[in-house]
Amino acid sequence: MTTVIHAEGLSKLYRRGLQIEGGLRHVLEEFVRSPLAVFRRKKNETFWALKDVSLEVKEGEVLGLIGRNGAGKTTLLKILSRITRPTAGWAEIHGRVGSLLEVGTGFHPELTGRENTFLSGAILGMTRAEIIRKFDEIVAFAELEKFIDTPVKHYSSGMYVRLAFAVAAHLEPEILLVDEVLAVGDINFQKKCLGKMGDVARAGRTVVLVSHQLNQIRRLCHRVVWIDDGQIRINGNTHEGLAAYESAMARGQTNGSQEARGPATRGRILRWEIADPPSEPAHVLSTLGPVTVNFIVELGRPITRGEHGVALFNASRQLMWSRATQDLSIPAGVHIFSHSFPSLPLRPGAYQWEATIWDNDELLDRWDCLPEMTIATEVHQHHMDEWNGILNIPEKLSISVLEGPRIGRNILR
């Protein structure tokens, strides 16, 4: 696979707007004293929207860009679309580029849907012959056959975005840059949009997609890049990247690394790991088969009537499972507490173990284990987000014909 997008050290510095402090009277007084001073900028009125971003995208790859609002995702797409120039760095793009950065770019309220289709298509880079060839398909996709000759100022907001997306979605570029346009319209139209994006991806075109709808990213993208404060935080596997992002958002941006734990006189839990299947790092689960989780426990003195508890929570602190083993007699020293499961068929994402050690009703240690466990298995979920559950269980549907006289009786009823 050849590289079609190659960026090195992309940075973009922006200057904030004019600073006018105080009320109107203060502004007028300052203007009388010094007309130019009112509009003078402060030295700290610049910020880096992007800072030293480097990436490669292969031909036919679908890359997802994730991150908070204002992280720099749209700025990166605007640079790749040649809408704005980078302050530093460079990017090479090989192929015809189509950009869906703002749905409805070029629509004029006084023009009809038909006229705006030709206008918007031309702005997006389509030739008149292409638009004529695809016109019926665009109108059918937007479900606006009865209103295509009506000025768009009379359209509802849903009708407007349906037509705008339909025009943009029927581009045939070699590289497609998409910025949060799959959230338009109602549920049924969103499903159509998602299906259209899937068709584009299966056609072998290169797609760079920005979306806050993470399940769409899971279903469409081969790889994700997490951009945070203008810099790349993660560039890698879709499931692992999304799990790390969801975990960071849920815990309020703490780093999720191993915490410093103070000494314990009687006992403490030192660390945890996924022992089987072996993985790197040792806290990522990427298969749906048998799993063994180890907790390393240090006991300063023997316990005679001990209890070991373990619980698993999701990122929303919802209890997934828990178990406690009682009447334990364990000598002093360092021990491995191994928990074996036939499978952990949970929805991909971030999860956290909580482990405890008791002796004679005395709590020796309770630990919300870090790092969190990342489940990065293949998704076996419904295609609509609202029907995605906690479990992630593979299943296979088979359909057979019901034969015999029973069919006739069912029809007569």
Short mmCIF file of all heavy atoms in Angstrom, two decimals, residues 182 187-195 202 213-220 347 379-389 392 395:
data_model
loop_
_atom_site.label_atom_id
_atom_site.label_comp_id
_atom_site.label_asym_id
_atom_site.label_seq_id
_atom_site.Cartn_x
_atom_site.Cartn_y
_atom_site.Cartn_z
N LEU A 182 -21.57 13.00 9.74
CA LEU A 182 -22.45 11.84 9.83
C LEU A 182 -23.51 12.01 10.91
O LEU A 182 -24.31 11.12 11.14
CB LEU A 182 -21.61 10.58 10.13
CG LEU A 182 -20.59 10.20 9.06
CD1 LEU A 182 -19.95 8.87 9.42
CD2 LEU A 182 -21.22 10.13 7.69
N ILE A 187 -32.61 9.61 12.65
CA ILE A 187 -31.94 8.32 12.84
C ILE A 187 -31.84 7.55 11.53
O ILE A 187 -30.78 7.00 11.20
CB ILE A 187 -32.69 7.48 13.89
CG1 ILE A 187 -32.62 8.16 15.27
CG2 ILE A 187 -32.10 6.08 13.97
CD1 ILE A 187 -31.23 8.29 15.83
N ASN A 188 -32.93 7.50 10.76
CA ASN A 188 -32.91 6.74 9.51
C ASN A 188 -31.91 7.32 8.52
O ASN A 188 -31.22 6.59 7.82
CB ASN A 188 -34.31 6.71 8.89
CG ASN A 188 -35.27 5.85 9.69
OD1 ASN A 188 -34.85 4.89 10.35
ND2 ASN A 188 -36.55 6.18 9.64
N PHE A 189 -31.85 8.66 8.46
CA PHE A 189 -30.91 9.27 7.52
C PHE A 189 -29.47 9.09 7.99
O PHE A 189 -28.57 8.92 7.18
CB PHE A 189 -31.22 10.75 7.32
CG PHE A 189 -30.46 11.36 6.17
CD1 PHE A 189 -30.79 11.05 4.86
CD2 PHE A 189 -29.39 12.21 6.40
CE1 PHE A 189 -30.09 11.58 3.80
CE2 PHE A 189 -28.68 12.75 5.34
CZ PHE A 189 -29.03 12.44 4.04
N GLN A 190 -29.25 9.11 9.30
CA GLN A 190 -27.91 8.85 9.80
C GLN A 190 -27.47 7.44 9.40
O GLN A 190 -26.30 7.22 9.07
CB GLN A 190 -27.87 8.99 11.32
CG GLN A 190 -27.91 10.43 11.81
CD GLN A 190 -27.76 10.52 13.31
OE1 GLN A 190 -27.13 9.69 13.94
NE2 GLN A 190 -28.34 11.54 13.90
N LYS A 191 -28.41 6.50 9.42
CA LYS A 191 -28.09 5.14 9.02
C LYS A 191 -27.69 5.10 7.54
O LYS A 191 -26.75 4.41 7.15
CB LYS A 191 -29.29 4.24 9.28
CG LYS A 191 -29.06 2.77 8.98
CD LYS A 191 -30.29 1.95 9.31
CE LYS A 191 -30.08 0.48 8.95
NZ LYS A 191 -31.29 -0.33 9.26
N LYS A 192 -28.41 5.87 6.71
CA LYS A 192 -28.06 5.94 5.30
C LYS A 192 -26.68 6.56 5.11
O LYS A 192 -25.88 6.12 4.27
CB LYS A 192 -29.11 6.76 4.53
CG LYS A 192 -30.44 6.06 4.35
CD LYS A 192 -31.42 6.93 3.58
CE LYS A 192 -30.98 7.19 2.16
NZ LYS A 192 -32.01 7.91 1.39
N CYS A 193 -26.40 7.61 5.88
CA CYS A 193 -25.09 8.27 5.79
C CYS A 193 -23.97 7.30 6.16
O CYS A 193 -22.93 7.25 5.48
CB CYS A 193 -25.04 9.49 6.71
SG CYS A 193 -26.11 10.85 6.22
N LEU A 194 -24.20 6.54 7.22
CA LEU A 194 -23.20 5.58 7.65
C LEU A 194 -22.99 4.51 6.59
O LEU A 194 -21.85 4.11 6.31
CB LEU A 194 -23.64 4.94 8.97
CG LEU A 194 -22.62 4.03 9.65
CD1 LEU A 194 -21.37 4.81 10.03
CD2 LEU A 194 -23.23 3.40 10.90
N GLY A 195 -24.08 4.06 5.98
CA GLY A 195 -23.96 3.08 4.91
C GLY A 195 -23.21 3.63 3.71
O GLY A 195 -22.41 2.92 3.09
N ARG A 202 -15.32 0.72 1.38
CA ARG A 202 -15.17 -0.58 0.71
C ARG A 202 -14.73 -0.42 -0.74
O ARG A 202 -14.20 -1.36 -1.34
CB ARG A 202 -16.48 -1.36 0.79
CG ARG A 202 -16.75 -1.96 2.17
CD ARG A 202 -17.96 -2.87 2.14
NE ARG A 202 -19.19 -2.12 1.96
CZ ARG A 202 -19.89 -1.59 2.95
NH1 ARG A 202 -19.46 -1.72 4.20
NH2 ARG A 202 -21.01 -0.93 2.72
N GLN A 213 -18.91 10.34 17.39
CA GLN A 213 -19.71 9.14 17.55
C GLN A 213 -18.77 7.94 17.44
O GLN A 213 -18.47 7.46 16.34
CB GLN A 213 -20.83 9.11 16.51
CG GLN A 213 -21.75 10.33 16.62
CD GLN A 213 -22.93 10.24 15.69
OE1 GLN A 213 -23.60 9.21 15.62
NE2 GLN A 213 -23.21 11.31 14.97
N LEU A 214 -18.32 7.48 18.59
CA LEU A 214 -17.21 6.52 18.63
C LEU A 214 -17.57 5.17 18.05
O LEU A 214 -16.70 4.48 17.51
CB LEU A 214 -16.70 6.38 20.06
CG LEU A 214 -16.20 7.68 20.72
CD1 LEU A 214 -15.59 7.39 22.08
CD2 LEU A 214 -15.19 8.39 19.82
N ASN A 215 -18.84 4.76 18.13
CA ASN A 215 -19.20 3.48 17.54
C ASN A 215 -19.11 3.52 16.02
O ASN A 215 -18.84 2.51 15.38
CB ASN A 215 -20.61 3.07 17.97
CG ASN A 215 -20.63 2.46 19.36
OD1 ASN A 215 -19.63 1.90 19.80
ND2 ASN A 215 -21.74 2.56 20.06
N GLN A 216 -19.35 4.70 15.43
CA GLN A 216 -19.15 4.83 13.99
C GLN A 216 -17.67 4.69 13.64
O GLN A 216 -17.31 4.06 12.65
CB GLN A 216 -19.69 6.18 13.52
CG GLN A 216 -21.19 6.30 13.62
CD GLN A 216 -21.69 7.65 13.14
OE1 GLN A 216 -20.92 8.54 12.81
NE2 GLN A 216 -23.00 7.81 13.07
N ILE A 217 -16.82 5.28 14.48
CA ILE A 217 -15.38 5.13 14.28
C ILE A 217 -14.98 3.66 14.37
O ILE A 217 -14.19 3.15 13.56
CB ILE A 217 -14.59 5.96 15.32
CG1 ILE A 217 -14.86 7.46 15.14
CG2 ILE A 217 -13.11 5.65 15.25
CD1 ILE A 217 -14.15 8.08 13.99
N ARG A 218 -15.54 2.94 15.35
CA ARG A 218 -15.21 1.53 15.53
C ARG A 218 -15.57 0.73 14.28
O ARG A 218 -14.84 -0.17 13.86
CB ARG A 218 -15.97 0.94 16.73
CG ARG A 218 -15.36 1.27 18.07
CD ARG A 218 -15.99 0.42 19.17
NE ARG A 218 -15.36 0.72 20.44
CZ ARG A 218 -15.83 1.61 21.32
NH1 ARG A 218 -16.96 2.26 21.04
NH2 ARG A 218 -15.22 1.83 22.44
N ARG A 219 -16.73 1.02 13.69
CA ARG A 219 -17.20 0.22 12.57
C ARG A 219 -16.51 0.57 11.26
O ARG A 219 -16.38 -0.28 10.39
CB ARG A 219 -18.72 0.37 12.42
CG ARG A 219 -19.52 -0.32 13.51
CD ARG A 219 -20.99 -0.41 13.16
NE ARG A 219 -21.64 0.88 13.21
CZ ARG A 219 -22.22 1.38 14.30
NH1 ARG A 219 -22.20 0.69 15.42
NH2 ARG A 219 -22.81 2.56 14.28
N LEU A 220 -16.08 1.81 11.11
CA LEU A 220 -15.57 2.25 9.82
C LEU A 220 -14.05 2.27 9.72
O LEU A 220 -13.50 2.05 8.64
CB LEU A 220 -16.08 3.67 9.50
CG LEU A 220 -17.57 3.82 9.15
CD1 LEU A 220 -17.91 5.29 8.99
CD2 LEU A 220 -17.89 3.06 7.88
N ARG A 347 -18.26 -5.25 26.15
CA ARG A 347 -18.16 -4.24 25.10
C ARG A 347 -16.77 -3.59 25.14
O ARG A 347 -16.27 -3.25 26.22
CB ARG A 347 -19.24 -3.18 25.34
CG ARG A 347 -19.22 -2.01 24.40
CD ARG A 347 -20.34 -1.07 24.77
NE ARG A 347 -20.38 0.11 23.90
CZ ARG A 347 -21.34 1.03 23.95
NH1 ARG A 347 -22.32 0.90 24.83
NH2 ARG A 347 -21.33 2.05 23.13
N VAL A 379 -15.67 -5.96 17.56
CA VAL A 379 -17.01 -5.54 17.98
C VAL A 379 -18.07 -6.49 17.43
O VAL A 379 -18.11 -6.75 16.22
CB VAL A 379 -17.30 -4.10 17.53
CG1 VAL A 379 -18.71 -3.69 17.92
CG2 VAL A 379 -16.29 -3.14 18.14
N HIS A 380 -18.91 -7.01 18.31
CA HIS A 380 -20.06 -7.82 17.93
C HIS A 380 -21.30 -7.14 18.51
O HIS A 380 -21.90 -7.63 19.47
CB HIS A 380 -19.92 -9.25 18.46
CG HIS A 380 -18.70 -9.96 17.98
ND1 HIS A 380 -18.63 -10.58 16.75
CD2 HIS A 380 -17.48 -10.13 18.55
CE1 HIS A 380 -17.43 -11.12 16.59
NE2 HIS A 380 -16.72 -10.85 17.66
N GLN A 381 -21.65 -6.00 17.95
CA GLN A 381 -22.72 -5.18 18.49
C GLN A 381 -23.67 -4.74 17.37
O GLN A 381 -23.35 -4.88 16.18
CB GLN A 381 -22.14 -3.92 19.18
CG GLN A 381 -21.35 -4.21 20.44
CD GLN A 381 -22.24 -4.26 21.68
OE1 GLN A 381 -23.42 -3.99 21.62
NE2 GLN A 381 -21.65 -4.61 22.81
N HIS A 382 -24.81 -4.19 17.77
CA HIS A 382 -25.78 -3.65 16.82
C HIS A 382 -25.17 -2.44 16.12
O HIS A 382 -24.34 -1.72 16.68
CB HIS A 382 -27.04 -3.23 17.59
CG HIS A 382 -28.26 -3.07 16.72
ND1 HIS A 382 -28.48 -1.94 15.98
CD2 HIS A 382 -29.31 -3.89 16.49
CE1 HIS A 382 -29.62 -2.06 15.33
NE2 HIS A 382 -30.15 -3.24 15.61
N HIS A 383 -25.60 -2.22 14.85
CA HIS A 383 -25.04 -1.10 14.10
C HIS A 383 -25.55 0.26 14.57
O HIS A 383 -24.97 1.29 14.24
CB HIS A 383 -25.34 -1.26 12.60
CG HIS A 383 -26.81 -1.21 12.27
ND1 HIS A 383 -27.60 -2.34 12.26
CD2 HIS A 383 -27.62 -0.19 11.96
CE1 HIS A 383 -28.84 -2.00 11.95
NE2 HIS A 383 -28.88 -0.71 11.76
N MET A 384 -26.62 0.28 15.38
CA MET A 384 -27.15 1.54 15.91
C MET A 384 -26.71 1.69 17.35
O MET A 384 -26.85 0.78 18.17
CB MET A 384 -28.68 1.57 15.80
CG MET A 384 -29.19 1.52 14.37
SD MET A 384 -30.99 1.41 14.27
CE MET A 384 -31.46 3.01 14.90
N ASP A 385 -26.17 2.87 17.68
CA ASP A 385 -25.56 3.09 18.99
C ASP A 385 -26.52 2.82 20.14
O ASP A 385 -26.12 2.28 21.18
CB ASP A 385 -25.04 4.53 19.10
CG ASP A 385 -23.87 4.78 18.17
OD1 ASP A 385 -23.44 3.83 17.49
OD2 ASP A 385 -23.38 5.93 18.11
N GLU A 386 -27.79 3.22 19.97
CA GLU A 386 -28.73 3.10 21.09
C GLU A 386 -29.05 1.64 21.43
O GLU A 386 -29.65 1.36 22.48
CB GLU A 386 -30.03 3.86 20.80
CG GLU A 386 -30.80 3.38 19.58
CD GLU A 386 -30.43 4.14 18.33
OE1 GLU A 386 -29.29 4.62 18.22
OE2 GLU A 386 -31.30 4.25 17.45
N TRP A 387 -28.65 0.70 20.56
CA TRP A 387 -28.89 -0.71 20.82
C TRP A 387 -27.60 -1.44 21.19
O TRP A 387 -27.55 -2.67 21.16
CB TRP A 387 -29.55 -1.38 19.60
CG TRP A 387 -30.97 -0.96 19.45
CD1 TRP A 387 -31.47 -0.03 18.59
CD2 TRP A 387 -32.09 -1.45 20.19
NE1 TRP A 387 -32.83 0.10 18.73
CE2 TRP A 387 -33.24 -0.76 19.72
CE3 TRP A 387 -32.24 -2.38 21.22
CZ2 TRP A 387 -34.51 -0.99 20.24
CZ3 TRP A 387 -33.51 -2.61 21.72
CH2 TRP A 387 -34.62 -1.92 21.24
N ASN A 388 -26.57 -0.71 21.52
CA ASN A 388 -25.33 -1.33 21.97
C ASN A 388 -25.40 -1.62 23.46
O ASN A 388 -25.62 -0.71 24.27
CB ASN A 388 -24.14 -0.42 21.68
CG ASN A 388 -23.62 -0.56 20.26
OD1 ASN A 388 -22.45 -0.43 20.02
ND2 ASN A 388 -24.52 -0.82 19.33
N GLY A 389 -25.22 -2.86 23.84
CA GLY A 389 -25.33 -3.25 25.24
C GLY A 389 -23.98 -3.43 25.91
O GLY A 389 -22.94 -3.05 25.38
N ASN A 392 -20.56 -8.27 24.67
CA ASN A 392 -20.04 -8.29 23.30
C ASN A 392 -19.85 -9.76 22.92
O ASN A 392 -18.75 -10.29 22.99
CB ASN A 392 -18.72 -7.51 23.23
CG ASN A 392 -18.19 -7.40 21.83
OD1 ASN A 392 -18.94 -7.11 20.90
ND2 ASN A 392 -16.90 -7.63 21.66
N GLU A 395 -22.15 -14.12 17.64
CA GLU A 395 -23.27 -15.01 17.32
C GLU A 395 -23.36 -15.17 15.81
O GLU A 395 -22.84 -14.35 15.06
CB GLU A 395 -24.58 -14.45 17.90
CG GLU A 395 -25.01 -13.09 17.39
CD GLU A 395 -25.75 -13.12 16.08
OE1 GLU A 395 -26.50 -14.09 15.84
OE2 GLU A 395 -25.58 -12.16 15.29
#
